[in-house]
Amino acid sequence: MTGAPARRRGRPPGAESADTRDRILAAAREEFSERGYEKTSVRGIAKAAGVDSALVHHYFGTKDQVFEAAVELAFAPALNAEALAEVPFAEVGERLTRFIFGIWENPVTRAPLLAIVRSAVNNEAAAAVFRRLVVSQVMRRVAGRLDLPDAELRAELAAAQLVGCAMLRYVIKVEPLASADVEQIVRRVAPVVQGHLTGP
Amino acid sequence: MTGAPARRRGRPPGAESADTRDRILAAAREEFSERGYEKTSVRGIAKAAGVDSALVHHYFGTKDQVFEAAVELAFAPALNAEALAEVPFAEVGERLTRFIFGIWENPVTRAPLLAIVRSAVNNEAAAAVFRRLVVSQVMRRVAGRLDLPDAELRAELAAAQLVGCAMLRYVIKVEPLASADVEQIVRRVAPVVQGHLTGP
């Protein structure tokens, strides 16, 4: 394939392509979070990763699909682990709140999160990725554990508290919330999340 | 002024300029909510309003200032009225929740709100307007009534619940939240807002 990087010697091909894939994803995260969905192009991502555009298409497909792969990383702990299913019912609010603040506080996962928030408010394709990842995957998993007729609405109102906190603290940076100790926020927010999920 | 619209006969000059001002603001709201802050230009607003760019500058100043004037409309009821100061303490959560959902449900004020959300996540100048209007003006007014050392943080966590609901319902349109009856949402959200503001 034209422009594909030459194989370095002495490394198995699998490791090489995993490296390239990771480099493309890292570049994509950077581009999407800096520029937002609309202004990011597959060509720009390829350039930042030092590969040919064709290779980006080869690994991921369309821009939409690169975007989804790039932001999925942030949610991987929630998507892969069945951890949430084992959390005692009374602790699910705190566990979910800690998970969300944890991925926002971590610089590695903050970039894809900024990318998805900045992109989803302005672009329908990115909004669809947001709905699929955050709501269908993370929140419905939580809702699935609630044996209540309005479980999905409950999960979404809990998500609204967490999304709003992330917006004001990490994106718009409103003080004193932006600089407050994360523990102090978790202590106030976790009971609200729990209340939405399991309250009367 | 070149390109300023010719005065129609039989109307007082004051009414004429109020009309023009309103037309510019309506065009600005439309442009900012459709395109976001960065892609909107004073020239584009002037064109949409059918006036010369110089007139937009004359009435409002810079793009920043047009933006602030355009989005301020949505918050006018909260900014002008001293209404909130007279609400009984135990009802402030419900009143605030109804105010926020009211301006989002109203198509006239929804456009400037979409404009501020879409713009503030991607642009620091627009984020500063968001902080000033939503936080300093609306939420600090609420916090000012709470005689508590952490009143501002409380007000911001309450705002986070409301901002998150608006994001998921009106901007990203997550179901079932996007189509749920607004009364049903208010009933669930108002106690949370009240709890943040006045709870233990």
Side-chain angles (χ1 to χ4, degrees), chain B residues 28-114:
Chain B
R29 256 167 239 133
E30 198 64 33
E31 293 284 303
F32 282 122
S33 64
E34 285 292 310
R35 296 165 191 276
Y37 183 87
E38 294 191 10
K39 284 194 229 155
T40 297
S41 65
V42 167
R43 180 190 283 261
I45 292 167
K47 197 178 163 200
V51 303
D52 193 87
S53 298
L55 201 63
V56 178
H57 288 299
H58 169 73
Y59 281 124
F60 300 102
T62 63
K63 174 170 140 179
D64 255 51
Q65 292 167 315
V66 186
F67 179 73
E68 186 152 354
V71 297
E72 214 162 32
L73 168 89
F75 301 101
L79 300 179
N80 297 336
E82 290 301 312
L84 221 49
E86 288 149 25
V87 175
F89 216 58
E91 291 168 25
V92 75
E94 181 171 346
R95 205 61 95 78
L96 190 62
T97 305
R98 287 195 185 281
F99 167 67
I100 297 293
F101 280 99
I103 58 179
W104 274 101
E105 291 287 323
N106 178 345
V108 175
T109 43
R110 190 186 294 186
L113 291 170
L114 279 171

Side-chain angles (χ1 to χ4, degrees), chain B residues 120-134:
Chain B
V121 298
N122 283 296
N123 180 280
E124 179 44 37
V129 173
F130 184 101
R131 289 193 292 266
R132 206 152 52 233
L133 278 182
V134 180

Side-chain angles (χ1 to χ4, degrees), chain A:
Chain A
M1 188 176 292
T2 320
R7 289 244 155 87
R8 274 169 275 160
R9 293 175 67 186
R11 306 197 58 196
E16 172 70 19
S17 67
D19 268 12
T20 309
R21 219 177 163 279
D22 285 352
R23 209 161 71 237
I24 294 169
L25 283 181
R29 257 167 237 134
E30 199 64 35
E31 293 284 305
F32 282 120
S33 64
E34 286 292 311
R35 297 166 191 275
Y37 183 87
E38 292 192 9
K39 284 194 228 157
T40 297
S41 65
V42 168
R43 178 190 284 263
I45 293 168
K47 197 177 163 200
V51 302
D52 192 86
S53 300
L55 201 62
V56 178
H57 287 299
H58 169 73
Y59 280 125
F60 299 102
T62 63
K63 175 170 140 182
D64 255 51
Q65 292 167 316
V66 186
F67 179 73
E68 187 152 354
V71 298
E72 213 161 33
L73 168 88
F75 301 100
L79 300 179
N80 296 336
E82 290 300 312
L84 220 47
E86 288 148 26
V87 176
F89 216 58
E91 289 169 26
V92 74
E94 181 170 346
R95 204 60 95 78
L96 190 62
T97 304
R98 288 196 184 280
F99 167 67
I100 296 293
F101 280 99
I103 57 179
W104 275 101
E105 291 288 321
N106 178 346
V108 176
T109 43
R110 190 186 294 187
L113 291 170
L114 280 172
I116 197 166
V117 170
R118 295 210 162 114
S119 304
V121 299
N122 283 295
N123 180 280
E124 179 44 37
V129 173
F130 184 101
R131 289 192 293 266
R132 205 154 51 233
L133 277 183
V134 180
V135 182
S136 309
Q137 306 252 39
V138 182
M139 297 313 292
R140 294 239 164 104
R141 237 165 242 238
V142 176
R145 289 206 56 205
L146 312 174
D147 191 19
L148 295 164
D150 56 353
E152 288 191 356
L153 187 64
R154 284 168 172 270
E156 287 170 16
L157 291 172
Q161 175 72 72
L162 295 167
V163 165
C165 284
M167 280 279 287
L168 297 186
R169 179 174 167 93
Y170 303 103
V171 185
I172 300 177
K173 299 196 175 79
V174 167
E175 293 295 354
L177 183 58
S179 305
D181 176 51
V182 73
E183 257 320 300
Q184 190 190 358
I185 302 172
V186 169
R187 274 199 306 274
R188 286 176 176 274
V189 169
V192 170
V193 171
Q194 182 76 36
H196 277 308
L197 294 175
T198 64

